[in-house]
Amino acid sequence: MGRIDLDRPVERRGTDSFKWDAVGRFFGREDVIPMWVADMDFPCAPEILEAFEAHIRHGVMGYTVRNDGYLAAIRNWFSSRHGWDIPEEHLAFSPPGVIFAVNVLLELLTQPGDRVVMQTPNYDALMDSVEKSGLEIARNPLKAKDGRYELDFDGLEPLLADPRTKVMLMANPNNPTGRLWTEEELRRLGELCLAHKVMILTDDIHCDFAMQGHRYVPLPSLSPELAEHTVLFTSTNKTFNLGGLQTATVVIGDAELRERYCGAMLRYQTRLDNLFGAIALETAYEKCGYWLDEVLSYVAENRRVLAEYVLEHLPGLKLYHMDATYFAWIDFSGLGKEEGLEDFLVKECGVAFTPGREFGSGCGTFMRVNLACRRALMLEAFRRIEAALKK
Ligand SMILES: Cc1ncc(COP(=O)(O)O)c(C=O)c1O
């Protein structure tokens, strides 16, 4: 065991946890094993709790500013972890989170009726941000090949060339598939966007969750032209399991766009951080890399154990390759349940996964399964499926 015990059960029911306490509302049943929404069942790093305690003892909860330590913490993290030196002046912020900032940028970069290229499947909140802003998604479906997804560059180019296309909105790694884009893929994609003057918005909120053998490459780090042409969103939310505290960092290379963005945030009165979000961000980036490393190893082992279990006991399930994130993307079509799959999993098995249909058409037989939980709980969920199939 490392410094933290990730097998220790932590009762989350009754704590107003969205993942645990909202299952009745979303799945119609209170006693399901919740492996859906993207938060981890693990308590955050003790250093973060100690920093909170120190502030609680001080007692004053007034407005905050971002000090030099806060900015340095972000820059040091990306420099030491990912080899990316973010110019300090490129940093901007979104205290309400990544999706808020994506919406502000869509508003700044488009007119109603414009098109936004997105790879599918993709995170539903990103797709909603586009469609509910009166914009059209130009879909560039990923191609599944041998349990892994590939970008479809042939399909991408005509979408980018369409004069109505103003933005490419992507996620690196992609949620739900966990596909992390390689340097070569990003360079090719970036060149196409530059050639067609399409601005890139890349949601890299899961970027710190790369599995062994995979490397996260920040798109703006590839060239000064791409840095000018990209807005990158990131956060401590997924990396350190701080979703309830919000806060996000936005890296905007284009000075004029950055100024417009900061102006909009000022107008919405959303420029100051939540006090605890700010304390957590600085502490996490400065002191908690070891915590992330332990969680990464644990989740990787969960994935390995699950693959072994599925191979032996649930041959109707197909696990896709997982480059990054803490999700398994699993095709359940081998069970032959068709439309009845969701009901079967919830009502007969008592497990709650995120249905693939939420991430775009063509994913109805898939489930996104959150593996950031105790291994024993994960195995219990799949044992329930096995038992229900035997009935
Ligand atoms: C790809 C992606 N982007 C954004 C978010 C949400 O970010 P925030 O809560 O900062 O808006 C999530 C959460 O699951 C996500 O998976």
Side-chain angles (χ1 to χ4, degrees):
M1 200 175 78
R3 281 160 74 178
I4 45 174
D5 179 6
L6 297 166
D7 288 310
R8 180 172 68 88
V10 176
E11 182 55 80
R12 296 189 70 192
R13 281 189 211 277
T15 63
D16 296 336
S17 148
F18 186 67
K19 187 181 184 184
W20 285 79
D21 290 322
V23 281
R25 196 165 2 127
F26 285 88
F27 295 92
R29 197 176 153 176
E30 296 289 348
D31 61 347
V32 283
I33 295 181
M35 296 172 75
W36 60 307
V37 66
D39 85 22
M40 310 195 228
D41 286 341
F42 311 130
C44 70
E47 290 79 359
I48 296 173
L49 301 178
E50 282 155 21
F52 288 166
E53 279 164 13
H55 197 86
I56 288 168
R57 277 197 300 277
H58 176 258
V60 183
M61 303 291 158
Y63 290 125
T64 56
V65 288
R66 293 179 195 98
N67 59 27
D68 290 346
Y70 181 105
L71 303 181
I74 298 171
R75 295 178 66 228
N76 289 344
W77 177 264
F78 280 92
S79 170
S80 60
R81 210 75 198 180
H82 303 299
W84 179 30
D85 293 322
I86 307 175
E88 187 172 312
E89 66 276 15
H90 290 191
L91 289 176
F93 308 94
S94 177
V98 165
I99 296 301
F100 187 92
V102 168
N103 277 276
V104 171
L105 277 144
L106 286 174
E107 218 170 86
L108 294 175
L109 292 167
T110 62
Q111 301 289 330
D114 283 346
R115 304 186 90 194
V116 174
V117 176
M118 292 189 77
Q119 290 130 0
T120 55
N122 217 319
Y123 177 47
D124 56 342
L126 287 177
M127 294 193 287
D128 282 353
S129 298
V130 173
E131 290 185 318
K132 290 178 180 164
S133 306
L135 302 165
E136 197 187 310
I137 299 179
R139 289 178 166 72
N140 178 219
L142 299 174
K143 285 189 164 164
K145 197 173 160 213
D146 303 328
R148 194 158 194 262
Y149 284 91
E150 298 298 339
L151 282 175
D152 175 11
F153 282 104
D154 294 339
L156 178 62
E157 177 134 36
L159 299 179
L160 294 174
D162 182 330
R164 289 170 300 168
T165 299
K166 298 294 177 334
V167 169
M168 162 120 213
L169 173 58
M170 56 188 279
N172 187 22
N174 172 272
N175 172 11
T177 66
R179 181 64 155 78
L180 195 63
W181 308 115
T182 64
E183 178 170 341
E184 196 191 340
E185 288 166 329
L186 290 172
R187 282 194 187 280
R188 199 167 159 198
L189 186 148
E191 271 161 29
L192 286 173
C193 289
L194 283 174
H196 294 289
K197 299 191 169 41
V198 171
M199 193 74 188
I200 306 166
L201 303 185
T202 183
D203 174 352
D204 294 14
I205 195 168
H206 294 278
C207 70
D208 293 310
F209 251 87
M211 295 290 142
Q212 225 174 21
H214 297 277
R215 185 170 71 93
Y216 162 62
V217 179
L219 184 54
S221 71
L222 293 177
S223 72
E225 292 73 32
L226 282 170
E228 277 269 308
H229 218 75
T230 303
V231 177
L232 182 144
F233 308 86
T234 187
S235 169
T236 45
N237 170 345
K238 305 299 164 197
T239 307
F240 296 101
N241 201 29
L242 302 170
L245 297 172
Q246 319 228 242
T247 50
T249 304
V250 187
V251 184
I252 310 178
D254 178 322
E256 194 197 319
L257 180 61
R258 194 167 59 245
E259 205 177 304
R260 290 171 66 216
Y261 172 79
C262 294
M265 296 303 277
L266 192 62
R267 177 160 59 89
Y268 293 134
Q269 188 74 302
T270 52
R271 70 204 149 115
L272 302 182
D273 278 316
N274 168 291
L275 168 62
F276 287 96
I279 292 172
L281 178 147
E282 198 175 331
T283 312
Y285 280 151
E286 283 295 345
K287 298 185 177 163
C288 305
Y290 80 90
W291 183 93
L292 173 65
D293 291 335
E294 289 190 24
V295 170
L296 272 169
S297 306
Y298 189 89
V299 170
E301 182 61 9
N302 273 0
R303 169 67 174 73
R304 194 196 63 74
V305 168
L306 178 61
E308 218 171 71
Y309 189 86
V310 162
L311 198 65
E312 194 175 333
H313 302 275
L314 291 163
L317 271 54
K318 181 172 177 192
L319 263 75
Y320 272 56
H321 187 81
M322 181 174 164
D323 300 350
T325 75
Y326 45 72
F327 306 126
W329 182 240
I330 306 179
D331 185 2
F332 282 72
S333 57
L335 299 189
K337 298 284 178 193
E338 312 291 333
E339 275 78 49
L341 176 64
E342 285 178 42
D343 266 1
F344 168 73
L345 290 171
V346 173
K347 293 184 182 153
E348 294 181 47
C349 308
V351 296
F353 304 147
T354 307
R357 66 174 159 76
E358 292 190 6
F359 305 99
S361 57
C363 301
T365 62
F366 283 81
M367 291 284 154
R368 190 194 73 176
V369 181
N370 183 339
L371 301 185
C373 63
R374 286 185 299 117
R375 192 160 303 138
L377 189 75
M378 174 191 80
L379 283 171
E380 167 65 16
F382 284 84
R383 279 193 195 108
R384 285 186 183 188
I385 299 173
E386 188 190 356
L389 284 170
K390 282 184 180 150
K391 271 187 199 158

PDB file of all heavy atoms in Angstrom, residues 29-30 45 60 70 97 149 152 155 163 171 185 187 193 215 234 258 261 289 307 336 350 363 367 381-382:
ATOM      1  N   ARG A  29     -34.058   4.069  -8.566  1.00  0.00           N
ATOM      2  CA  ARG A  29     -33.778   3.045  -7.560  1.00  0.00           C
ATOM      3  C   ARG A  29     -32.640   3.546  -6.662  1.00  0.00           C
ATOM      4  O   ARG A  29     -31.621   4.032  -7.172  1.00  0.00           O
ATOM      5  CB  ARG A  29     -33.348   1.766  -8.301  1.00  0.00           C
ATOM      6  CG  ARG A  29     -33.415   0.535  -7.483  1.00  0.00           C
ATOM      7  CD  ARG A  29     -33.070  -0.688  -8.303  1.00  0.00           C
ATOM      8  NE  ARG A  29     -32.540  -1.676  -7.355  1.00  0.00           N
ATOM      9  CZ  ARG A  29     -32.189  -2.899  -7.664  1.00  0.00           C
ATOM     10  NH1 ARG A  29     -32.311  -3.315  -8.905  1.00  0.00           N
ATOM     11  NH2 ARG A  29     -31.704  -3.711  -6.750  1.00  0.00           N
ATOM     12  N   GLU A  30     -32.814   3.406  -5.334  1.00  0.00           N
ATOM     13  CA  GLU A  30     -31.831   3.970  -4.399  1.00  0.00           C
ATOM     14  C   GLU A  30     -30.641   3.044  -4.142  1.00  0.00           C
ATOM     15  O   GLU A  30     -29.574   3.496  -3.734  1.00  0.00           O
ATOM     16  CB  GLU A  30     -32.496   4.266  -3.030  1.00  0.00           C
ATOM     17  CG  GLU A  30     -33.580   5.335  -3.074  1.00  0.00           C
ATOM     18  CD  GLU A  30     -33.042   6.741  -3.307  1.00  0.00           C
ATOM     19  OE1 GLU A  30     -31.812   6.950  -3.210  1.00  0.00           O
ATOM     20  OE2 GLU A  30     -33.863   7.633  -3.623  1.00  0.00           O
ATOM     21  N   ALA A  45      -6.664  14.552  -1.110  1.00  0.00           N
ATOM     22  CA  ALA A  45      -5.369  14.421  -0.427  1.00  0.00           C
ATOM     23  C   ALA A  45      -5.404  15.116   0.937  1.00  0.00           C
ATOM     24  O   ALA A  45      -5.988  16.192   1.064  1.00  0.00           O
ATOM     25  CB  ALA A  45      -4.278  15.030  -1.297  1.00  0.00           C
ATOM     26  N   VAL A  60     -12.019  34.011   8.606  1.00  0.00           N
ATOM     27  CA  VAL A  60     -12.621  35.032   7.744  1.00  0.00           C
ATOM     28  C   VAL A  60     -12.773  34.457   6.329  1.00  0.00           C
ATOM     29  O   VAL A  60     -11.824  33.915   5.772  1.00  0.00           O
ATOM     30  CB  VAL A  60     -11.758  36.314   7.717  1.00  0.00           C
ATOM     31  CG1 VAL A  60     -12.441  37.392   6.866  1.00  0.00           C
ATOM     32  CG2 VAL A  60     -11.542  36.828   9.139  1.00  0.00           C
ATOM     33  N   TYR A  70      -0.421  30.948  -6.555  1.00  0.00           N
ATOM     34  CA  TYR A  70      -1.504  30.287  -7.306  1.00  0.00           C
ATOM     35  C   TYR A  70      -1.090  30.129  -8.773  1.00  0.00           C
ATOM     36  O   TYR A  70      -1.183  29.042  -9.345  1.00  0.00           O
ATOM     37  CB  TYR A  70      -2.741  31.169  -7.162  1.00  0.00           C
ATOM     38  CG  TYR A  70      -4.020  30.711  -7.823  1.00  0.00           C
ATOM     39  CD1 TYR A  70      -5.059  30.178  -7.064  1.00  0.00           C
ATOM     40  CD2 TYR A  70      -4.229  30.866  -9.186  1.00  0.00           C
ATOM     41  CE1 TYR A  70      -6.269  29.802  -7.658  1.00  0.00           C
ATOM     42  CE2 TYR A  70      -5.430  30.491  -9.785  1.00  0.00           C
ATOM     43  CZ  TYR A  70      -6.438  29.959  -9.014  1.00  0.00           C
ATOM     44  OH  TYR A  70      -7.625  29.595  -9.595  1.00  0.00           O
ATOM     45  N   GLY A  97     -16.253  26.840 -13.458  1.00  0.00           N
ATOM     46  CA  GLY A  97     -15.893  25.551 -14.041  1.00  0.00           C
ATOM     47  C   GLY A  97     -15.664  25.620 -15.537  1.00  0.00           C
ATOM     48  O   GLY A  97     -15.797  26.676 -16.170  1.00  0.00           O
ATOM     49  N   TYR A 149     -10.421   3.757 -30.748  1.00  0.00           N
ATOM     50  CA  TYR A 149     -10.991   4.730 -31.686  1.00  0.00           C
ATOM     51  C   TYR A 149      -9.902   5.480 -32.441  1.00  0.00           C
ATOM     52  O   TYR A 149      -8.854   5.794 -31.878  1.00  0.00           O
ATOM     53  CB  TYR A 149     -11.860   5.738 -30.926  1.00  0.00           C
ATOM     54  CG  TYR A 149     -13.192   5.156 -30.523  1.00  0.00           C
ATOM     55  CD1 TYR A 149     -13.345   4.526 -29.291  1.00  0.00           C
ATOM     56  CD2 TYR A 149     -14.283   5.208 -31.379  1.00  0.00           C
ATOM     57  CE1 TYR A 149     -14.562   3.980 -28.919  1.00  0.00           C
ATOM     58  CE2 TYR A 149     -15.506   4.662 -31.012  1.00  0.00           C
ATOM     59  CZ  TYR A 149     -15.637   4.050 -29.781  1.00  0.00           C
ATOM     60  OH  TYR A 149     -16.840   3.500 -29.423  1.00  0.00           O
ATOM     61  N   ASP A 152     -11.113  10.434 -37.809  1.00  0.00           N
ATOM     62  CA  ASP A 152     -11.403  10.301 -39.232  1.00  0.00           C
ATOM     63  C   ASP A 152     -11.008  11.607 -39.931  1.00  0.00           C
ATOM     64  O   ASP A 152     -11.814  12.536 -40.043  1.00  0.00           O
ATOM     65  CB  ASP A 152     -12.899   9.991 -39.417  1.00  0.00           C
ATOM     66  CG  ASP A 152     -13.280   9.952 -40.889  1.00  0.00           C
ATOM     67  OD1 ASP A 152     -12.372   9.948 -41.747  1.00  0.00           O
ATOM     68  OD2 ASP A 152     -14.483   9.946 -41.175  1.00  0.00           O
ATOM     69  N   GLY A 155     -12.995  12.589 -43.114  1.00  0.00           N
ATOM     70  CA  GLY A 155     -14.301  13.200 -42.835  1.00  0.00           C
ATOM     71  C   GLY A 155     -14.153  14.595 -42.246  1.00  0.00           C
ATOM     72  O   GLY A 155     -15.051  15.433 -42.365  1.00  0.00           O
ATOM     73  N   PRO A 163     -17.654  27.105 -44.864  1.00  0.00           N
ATOM     74  CA  PRO A 163     -17.516  28.481 -44.345  1.00  0.00           C
ATOM     75  C   PRO A 163     -18.352  28.756 -43.093  1.00  0.00           C
ATOM     76  O   PRO A 163     -18.069  29.701 -42.355  1.00  0.00           O
ATOM     77  CB  PRO A 163     -17.981  29.361 -45.512  1.00  0.00           C
ATOM     78  CG  PRO A 163     -18.558  28.461 -46.528  1.00  0.00           C
ATOM     79  CD  PRO A 163     -18.135  27.059 -46.245  1.00  0.00           C
ATOM     80  N   ALA A 171     -12.170  17.220 -26.910  1.00  0.00           N
ATOM     81  CA  ALA A 171     -11.698  16.924 -25.566  1.00  0.00           C
ATOM     82  C   ALA A 171     -10.463  16.039 -25.705  1.00  0.00           C
ATOM     83  O   ALA A 171     -10.431  15.124 -26.522  1.00  0.00           O
ATOM     84  CB  ALA A 171     -12.774  16.211 -24.763  1.00  0.00           C
ATOM     85  N   GLU A 185      -1.296  13.097 -34.275  1.00  0.00           N
ATOM     86  CA  GLU A 185      -2.708  13.403 -34.562  1.00  0.00           C
ATOM     87  C   GLU A 185      -3.024  14.867 -34.301  1.00  0.00           C
ATOM     88  O   GLU A 185      -3.717  15.529 -35.079  1.00  0.00           O
ATOM     89  CB  GLU A 185      -3.627  12.515 -33.703  1.00  0.00           C
ATOM     90  CG  GLU A 185      -3.644  11.065 -34.139  1.00  0.00           C
ATOM     91  CD  GLU A 185      -4.285  10.143 -33.101  1.00  0.00           C
ATOM     92  OE1 GLU A 185      -4.199  10.421 -31.881  1.00  0.00           O
ATOM     93  OE2 GLU A 185      -4.849   9.124 -33.512  1.00  0.00           O
ATOM     94  N   ARG A 187      -0.939  17.408 -34.290  1.00  0.00           N
ATOM     95  CA  ARG A 187      -0.289  18.278 -35.293  1.00  0.00           C
ATOM     96  C   ARG A 187      -1.121  18.313 -36.581  1.00  0.00           C
ATOM     97  O   ARG A 187      -1.354  19.374 -37.150  1.00  0.00           O
ATOM     98  CB  ARG A 187       1.129  17.790 -35.606  1.00  0.00           C
ATOM     99  CG  ARG A 187       2.128  18.163 -34.549  1.00  0.00           C
ATOM    100  CD  ARG A 187       3.563  17.985 -35.031  1.00  0.00           C
ATOM    101  NE  ARG A 187       4.475  18.193 -33.921  1.00  0.00           N
ATOM    102  CZ  ARG A 187       4.858  19.394 -33.468  1.00  0.00           C
ATOM    103  NH1 ARG A 187       4.421  20.481 -34.054  1.00  0.00           N
ATOM    104  NH2 ARG A 187       5.683  19.499 -32.448  1.00  0.00           N
ATOM    105  N   CYS A 193      -6.985  22.886 -38.929  1.00  0.00           N
ATOM    106  CA  CYS A 193      -7.761  23.996 -38.339  1.00  0.00           C
ATOM    107  C   CYS A 193      -7.110  25.334 -38.688  1.00  0.00           C
ATOM    108  O   CYS A 193      -7.808  26.306 -39.011  1.00  0.00           O
ATOM    109  CB  CYS A 193      -7.883  23.835 -36.832  1.00  0.00           C
ATOM    110  SG  CYS A 193      -8.981  22.473 -36.382  1.00  0.00           S
ATOM    111  N   ARG A 215       1.024   9.366 -23.314  1.00  0.00           N
ATOM    112  CA  ARG A 215       1.524  10.685 -22.899  1.00  0.00           C
ATOM    113  C   ARG A 215       0.538  11.755 -23.339  1.00  0.00           C
ATOM    114  O   ARG A 215       0.098  11.776 -24.493  1.00  0.00           O
ATOM    115  CB  ARG A 215       2.888  10.942 -23.558  1.00  0.00           C
ATOM    116  CG  ARG A 215       3.555  12.224 -23.099  1.00  0.00           C
ATOM    117  CD  ARG A 215       4.992  12.279 -23.610  1.00  0.00           C
ATOM    118  NE  ARG A 215       5.061  12.506 -25.042  1.00  0.00           N
ATOM    119  CZ  ARG A 215       5.180  13.703 -25.604  1.00  0.00           C
ATOM    120  NH1 ARG A 215       5.232  14.786 -24.866  1.00  0.00           N
ATOM    121  NH2 ARG A 215       5.249  13.828 -26.917  1.00  0.00           N
ATOM    122  N   THR A 234      -8.667  23.486 -18.442  1.00  0.00           N
ATOM    123  CA  THR A 234      -8.237  22.413 -17.549  1.00  0.00           C
ATOM    124  C   THR A 234      -8.688  22.761 -16.130  1.00  0.00           C
ATOM    125  O   THR A 234      -9.263  23.822 -15.898  1.00  0.00           O
ATOM    126  CB  THR A 234      -6.714  22.179 -17.652  1.00  0.00           C
ATOM    127  OG1 THR A 234      -6.394  21.028 -16.883  1.00  0.00           O
ATOM    128  CG2 THR A 234      -5.917  23.362 -17.150  1.00  0.00           C
ATOM    129  N   ARG A 258      -8.369  36.850 -25.306  1.00  0.00           N
ATOM    130  CA  ARG A 258      -8.251  36.742 -23.842  1.00  0.00           C
ATOM    131  C   ARG A 258      -8.881  37.967 -23.172  1.00  0.00           C
ATOM    132  O   ARG A 258      -9.600  37.845 -22.183  1.00  0.00           O
ATOM    133  CB  ARG A 258      -6.778  36.601 -23.480  1.00  0.00           C
ATOM    134  CG  ARG A 258      -6.540  36.156 -22.060  1.00  0.00           C
ATOM    135  CD  ARG A 258      -5.112  35.746 -21.860  1.00  0.00           C
ATOM    136  NE  ARG A 258      -4.164  36.803 -22.156  1.00  0.00           N
ATOM    137  CZ  ARG A 258      -3.281  36.785 -23.137  1.00  0.00           C
ATOM    138  NH1 ARG A 258      -3.193  35.745 -23.933  1.00  0.00           N
ATOM    139  NH2 ARG A 258      -2.446  37.794 -23.315  1.00  0.00           N
ATOM    140  N   TYR A 261     -12.573  37.657 -23.376  1.00  0.00           N
ATOM    141  CA  TYR A 261     -13.028  36.635 -22.425  1.00  0.00           C
ATOM    142  C   TYR A 261     -13.053  37.211 -20.997  1.00  0.00           C
ATOM    143  O   TYR A 261     -14.047  37.096 -20.278  1.00  0.00           O
ATOM    144  CB  TYR A 261     -12.118  35.397 -22.487  1.00  0.00           C
ATOM    145  CG  TYR A 261     -12.418  34.399 -21.400  1.00  0.00           C
ATOM    146  CD1 TYR A 261     -13.503  33.521 -21.511  1.00  0.00           C
ATOM    147  CD2 TYR A 261     -11.648  34.347 -20.233  1.00  0.00           C
ATOM    148  CE1 TYR A 261     -13.804  32.628 -20.496  1.00  0.00           C
ATOM    149  CE2 TYR A 261     -11.949  33.460 -19.211  1.00  0.00           C
ATOM    150  CZ  TYR A 261     -13.019  32.604 -19.353  1.00  0.00           C
ATOM    151  OH  TYR A 261     -13.331  31.729 -18.340  1.00  0.00           O
ATOM    152  N   GLY A 289       0.978  15.664  -6.125  1.00  0.00           N
ATOM    153  CA  GLY A 289       1.268  14.816  -7.284  1.00  0.00           C
ATOM    154  C   GLY A 289       1.348  13.346  -6.883  1.00  0.00           C
ATOM    155  O   GLY A 289       0.900  12.457  -7.623  1.00  0.00           O
ATOM    156  N   ALA A 307     -10.834  -6.348 -16.662  1.00  0.00           N
ATOM    157  CA  ALA A 307     -10.657  -7.021 -17.956  1.00  0.00           C
ATOM    158  C   ALA A 307     -10.550  -8.529 -17.751  1.00  0.00           C
ATOM    159  O   ALA A 307     -11.148  -9.324 -18.494  1.00  0.00           O
ATOM    160  CB  ALA A 307      -9.416  -6.481 -18.654  1.00  0.00           C
ATOM    161  N   GLY A 336     -27.121  -9.104 -26.102  1.00  0.00           N
ATOM    162  CA  GLY A 336     -28.351  -9.210 -26.896  1.00  0.00           C
ATOM    163  C   GLY A 336     -29.569  -8.587 -26.229  1.00  0.00           C
ATOM    164  O   GLY A 336     -30.694  -9.002 -26.467  1.00  0.00           O
ATOM    165  N   GLY A 350     -28.986  -3.956 -10.533  1.00  0.00           N
ATOM    166  CA  GLY A 350     -28.743  -2.989  -9.461  1.00  0.00           C
ATOM    167  C   GLY A 350     -27.426  -2.245  -9.635  1.00  0.00           C
ATOM    168  O   GLY A 350     -26.702  -1.986  -8.673  1.00  0.00           O
ATOM    169  N   CYS A 363     -24.272   4.839 -29.972  1.00  0.00           N
ATOM    170  CA  CYS A 363     -23.586   4.298 -28.785  1.00  0.00           C
ATOM    171  C   CYS A 363     -24.563   3.606 -27.843  1.00  0.00           C
ATOM    172  O   CYS A 363     -24.275   3.426 -26.655  1.00  0.00           O
ATOM    173  CB  CYS A 363     -22.874   5.416 -28.027  1.00  0.00           C
ATOM    174  SG  CYS A 363     -21.654   6.275 -28.990  1.00  0.00           S
ATOM    175  N   MET A 367     -21.844   1.412 -22.405  1.00  0.00           N
ATOM    176  CA  MET A 367     -21.963   2.045 -21.097  1.00  0.00           C
ATOM    177  C   MET A 367     -20.604   2.643 -20.748  1.00  0.00           C
ATOM    178  O   MET A 367     -19.558   2.033 -21.026  1.00  0.00           O
ATOM    179  CB  MET A 367     -22.321   1.005 -20.012  1.00  0.00           C
ATOM    180  CG  MET A 367     -23.713   0.444 -20.140  1.00  0.00           C
ATOM    181  SD  MET A 367     -24.941   1.633 -19.570  1.00  0.00           S
ATOM    182  CE  MET A 367     -26.373   1.099 -20.509  1.00  0.00           C
ATOM    183  N   ALA A 381     -20.269  -5.013  -8.522  1.00  0.00           N
ATOM    184  CA  ALA A 381     -21.167  -4.574  -9.597  1.00  0.00           C
ATOM    185  C   ALA A 381     -21.172  -5.606 -10.736  1.00  0.00           C
ATOM    186  O   ALA A 381     -22.233  -5.982 -11.245  1.00  0.00           O
ATOM    187  CB  ALA A 381     -20.750  -3.209 -10.113  1.00  0.00           C
ATOM    188  N   PHE A 382     -20.000  -6.092 -11.104  1.00  0.00           N
ATOM    189  CA  PHE A 382     -19.936  -7.015 -12.240  1.00  0.00           C
ATOM    190  C   PHE A 382     -20.379  -8.423 -11.842  1.00  0.00           C
ATOM    191  O   PHE A 382     -20.906  -9.171 -12.666  1.00  0.00           O
ATOM    192  CB  PHE A 382     -18.551  -6.950 -12.899  1.00  0.00           C
ATOM    193  CG  PHE A 382     -18.439  -5.684 -13.736  1.00  0.00           C
ATOM    194  CD1 PHE A 382     -18.086  -4.485 -13.150  1.00  0.00           C
ATOM    195  CD2 PHE A 382     -18.790  -5.682 -15.069  1.00  0.00           C
ATOM    196  CE1 PHE A 382     -18.047  -3.292 -13.888  1.00  0.00           C
ATOM    197  CE2 PHE A 382     -18.765  -4.510 -15.822  1.00  0.00           C
ATOM    198  CZ  PHE A 382     -18.388  -3.316 -15.221  1.00  0.00           C
TER     199      PHE A 382
END
